[in-house]
Amino acid sequence: MILRFETDRLILRPFEESDAPSLYQLNDDEEVMRYTGDISFKDLEDARKFAIDYNNNPQGQYLNYKMGRLAVIRKDDQAFLGWT
């Protein structure tokens, strides 16, 4: 299942391996972690594995519940803004 949504300014899409540095940076921020309840990544490789596995994990959100987190990308410059 491929979830992708677009607005005039944003793209919401599944995580990609290239999102790993941004995901790592978000999960390294105490203010972000305060609200997500997630566990911090040990390192960049941990974030990379998460980005790859999140879409393809047989026990994952997309396959089991037909929903899950999506990366939020700004169209103008392809900047990773976060996830929803």
Side-chain angles (χ1 to χ4, degrees):
M1 167 184 247
I2 302 293
L3 297 174
R4 184 181 173 97
F5 305 97
E6 292 192 32
T7 70
D8 291 340
R9 295 180 294 154
L10 300 173
I11 299 169
L12 281 69
R13 60 152 173 78
F15 294 127
E16 297 175 355
E17 186 174 356
S18 62
D19 297 332
S22 298
L23 288 167
Y24 180 75
Q25 186 177 12
L26 275 174
N27 276 31
D28 197 39
D29 185 322
E30 288 180 19
E31 284 297 304
V32 171
M33 299 306 285
R34 178 176 161 191
Y35 297 102
T36 66
D38 292 336
I39 298 170
S40 295
F41 296 121
K42 293 180 288 187
D43 52 29
L44 186 56
E45 178 63 16
D46 202 23
R48 187 187 74 76
K49 287 179 185 174
F50 172 83
I52 293 169
D53 291 346
Y54 193 83
N55 302 326
N56 302 315
N57 182 347
Q59 271 65 57
Q61 295 286 318
Y62 292 145
L63 296 175
N64 282 326
Y65 305 110
K66 309 298 186 248
M67 59 187 249
R69 295 178 183 181
L70 296 171
V72 179
I73 308 299
R74 186 173 43 220
K75 280 186 176 179
D76 286 348
D77 59 1
Q78 298 298 300
F80 181 99
L81 301 178
W83 54 261
T84 186

